[in-house]
Amino acid sequence: MTQNVLLLNSDKTEVLILGPKHLRDTLSNDIAALDDIALASNETVRNLGVIFDPDLSFDSHLKQISRTAFFHLRNISKIRHVLSQKDAETLVHAFVTSRLDYCNSLLSGSSSKSLKTLQLVQNAAARVLTRTRKRDHISPVLASLHWLPVKFRIEFKILLLTYKALNNMAPSYLKELIVPYHPTRALRSQNSGLLVVPKVSKSRVGARAFSYQAPLLWNHLPVSVQEADTLSTFKSRLKTFLYDKAYS
């Protein structure tokens, strides 16, 4: 900033320190004295509508999605009796499921406990849309709507990005994160479209990186899905594969 003759505006600047807590604490004092301006590190910051926290747990983000989605669901449920099925579905997609899908690739590798918050939102949306009672089992309802559960919607997004990266339809920085597998000797798997799964530490964050999740999920796809010749064909085959995996 000094080289470009820029000044730090404390009213427009937020600081978030990412990393293990014991290391974050050692940096706090240095950050506060940045450019002689007092700046306290934030517990959360918002970037492009996503709430980040120092642990990258996205707990605050998940709570915000849940709170907002349930607010809209309550409003939709109040007028559901005067809405057609098509209009109700349009409202649910516009105000609820769109929030579940927005930037959901960031949640790849998250624990089932973390994703349960979003799954409860999707379950409630399905009940409002289909007028299903709370005590009725929700899986058949989701299947009848052809909705993938939250976990599989995240996998869909990661695999879609992977396909685009492999076919030059994604930014180069994503393509650089995935490496085709080339065995050292001739094997039947040589041309099977596998990707190298990098070794990661046992830390939760390392195993959630796109460079790890993308090849891990891709290598479990059937060849017929991997070798789809168009994006629309890939999306269709991928949803069918994940749908069968979710409800079989």
Side-chain angles (χ1 to χ4, degrees):
M1 294 184 71
T2 301
Q3 290 175 351
N4 290 280
V5 198
L6 298 173
L7 295 177
L8 198 64
N9 188 334
S10 59
D11 294 332
K12 298 182 179 180
T13 302
E14 292 182 299
V15 177
L16 180 70
I17 307 174
L18 304 174
K21 189 177 187 305
H22 69 281
L23 294 179
R24 297 201 304 263
D25 293 340
T26 63
L27 290 174
S28 296
N29 293 332
D30 295 332
I31 296 296
L34 184 63
D35 203 24
D36 295 326
I37 295 178
L39 290 172
S41 60
N42 295 47
E43 289 299 319
T44 60
V45 297
R46 186 185 295 272
N47 185 30
L48 297 178
V50 178
I51 302 175
F52 290 81
D53 58 85
D55 297 310
L56 291 181
S57 67
F58 294 102
D59 287 343
S60 298
H61 180 62
L62 294 173
K63 290 177 182 177
Q64 178 63 33
I65 292 176
S66 177
R67 188 161 47 244
T68 305
F70 275 118
F71 169 79
H72 289 296
L73 276 178
R74 284 192 293 271
N75 288 336
I76 294 173
S77 65
K78 291 176 183 178
I79 59 172
R80 177 64 184 93
H81 63 286
V82 299
L83 294 173
S84 66
Q85 180 71 12
K86 183 179 178 180
D87 290 339
E89 191 168 354
T90 298
L91 286 178
V92 168
H93 286 317
F95 291 102
V96 181
T97 56
S98 61
R99 286 182 163 82
L100 299 181
D101 293 337
Y102 179 70
C103 289
N104 62 350
S105 57
L106 292 171
L107 304 175
S108 180
S110 296
S111 65
S112 299
K113 181 180 179 180
S114 296
L115 298 182
K116 184 178 179 180
T117 302
L118 298 187
Q119 189 58 58
L120 290 174
V121 172
Q122 188 188 47
N123 294 350
R127 293 186 191 281
V128 170
L129 182 59
T130 59
R131 301 180 182 181
T132 302
R133 295 172 299 180
K134 289 185 177 181
R135 59 177 176 270
D136 291 340
H137 193 49
I138 195 62
S139 291
V141 178
L142 294 174
S144 67
L145 292 170
H146 291 274
W147 288 4
L148 292 174
V150 170
K151 175 179 180 294
F152 294 96
R153 296 172 88 91
I154 294 172
E155 290 186 9
F156 182 93
K157 184 68 72 64
I158 290 291
L159 289 167
L160 182 59
L161 289 172
T162 306
Y163 179 86
K164 288 182 176 180
L166 290 172
N167 290 275
N168 300 314
M169 292 184 284
S172 59
Y173 61 79
L174 284 182
K175 186 174 183 178
E176 293 169 359
L177 295 176
I178 51 180
V179 181
Y181 172 67
H182 298 294
T184 55
R185 56 192 179 89
L187 299 171
R188 284 183 297 176
S189 62
Q190 186 168 0
N191 297 318
S192 61
L194 298 179
L195 302 175
V196 175
V197 180
K199 294 182 179 180
V200 297
S201 64
K202 294 182 180 180
S203 67
R204 177 170 53 89
V205 176
R208 289 174 54 187
F210 178 79
S211 58
Y212 177 79
Q213 286 290 323
L216 183 69
L217 295 173
W218 181 267
N219 290 349
H220 286 86
L221 287 179
V223 176
S224 60
V225 180
Q226 293 177 351
E227 296 181 347
D229 54 355
T230 66
L231 181 61
S232 60
T233 301
F234 175 79
K235 291 168 69 174
S236 177
R237 292 178 181 177
L238 177 59
K239 183 173 182 181
T240 299
F241 170 73
L242 293 177
Y243 181 89
D244 292 339
K245 184 179 177 182
Y247 299 112
S248 62

